[in-house]
Amino acid sequence: AQAANIDVAWTIQEYADTSAQVGDTITFTWSSLHNVYIHPSGTCNDTGAILIGETSPVTYTFTADDVDEDLFFTPDKPLPSR
């Protein structure tokens, strides 16, 4: 199967669960100060948070390590004005 791209217009809101396969890419785009983290806790707890990016667009490609894992993408604290 061909890898898919999952487009997310990144705003602060709840999103429906989405499934992905190895090789698929999720792309987050936004127009204000933002960032994207994976929170291994599955909550907004910062412990172990992994920064994916701070400049739109941000992409993440799913790997074999992600199989059977629930990845929780979230913005972290708002970035200061630049």
Side-chain angles (χ1 to χ4, degrees):
Q2 185 175 355
N5 187 63
I6 303 160
D7 291 313
V8 177
W10 198 232
T11 61
I12 298 177
Q13 67 179 24
E14 286 192 38
Y15 291 87
D17 290 348
T18 300
S19 295
Q21 304 295 319
V22 172
D24 288 354
T25 299
I26 189 167
T27 302
F28 298 93
T29 56
W30 63 89
S31 60
S32 60
L33 294 176
H34 233 302
N35 52 34
V36 180
Y37 281 80
I38 293 176
H39 284 240
S41 64
T43 69
C44 290
N45 183 317
D46 291 343
T47 303
I50 303 161
L51 176 65
I52 302 302
E54 296 180 317
T55 304
S56 181
V58 167
T59 60
Y60 179 83
T61 301
F62 295 91
T63 68
D65 290 339
D66 299 323
V67 172
D68 295 327
E69 297 291 328
D70 289 330
L71 298 182
F72 183 75
F73 294 90
T74 185
D76 215 336
K77 297 174 182 71
L79 299 173
S81 298
R82 297 179 190 190

